[in-house]
Amino acid sequence: MKKKILISINPKHVDNIIKGIKKYEYRKIAAKQDISSIIIYETTPIKRVVAEAEIIDVLEFPPEELWEITKQESGISKKFFDQYFKNRDLAYAYKLGEIKVYDEPRLLIEFGIKVAPQSFVYL
């Protein structure tokens, strides 16, 4: 059975994901288990779980190659991408599908989590 992960994301990026501008969520490490969706925790100042994004695919490539594949729908600048993956041999991107925005933003504790994860946490 596929799992879900909860990821902390900056409000600017959350906004772009919800608007459909950012169709990839980049990560330095990817979940080892097969996941079906990302639960999105919007960081300060919101500090709430605001949406769920379907995962269509998980890409794993050297950073330059990943950028070439995803840049049209990255929702970020090349400079930001390069800084994020600096000195990395591999880069990961979750290709996002359908986004379900919660009617009411939810607290982490509702998911059994006490503190926001640095990278991600399985649910």
Side-chain angles (χ1 to χ4, degrees), residues 27-28 60-66 81 84-92:
R27 293 284 143 169
K28 292 175 185 169
E60 175 185 334
F61 290 98
E64 280 306 309
E65 213 173 316
L66 184 65
F81 180 92
Y84 186 71
F85 288 116
K86 188 177 179 167
N87 300 324
R88 292 278 173 170
D89 294 330
L90 278 178
Y92 302 90

Side-chain angles (χ1 to χ4, degrees), residues 2 4 16 20 34 38 43 59 73 92 94 96-97 103 121:
K2 289 188 172 195
K4 296 179 181 186
N16 285 335
D34 203 12
I38 291 173
T43 58
L59 307 177
E73 298 177 309
Y92 302 90
Y94 293 107
L96 307 177
D103 293 334
V121 63

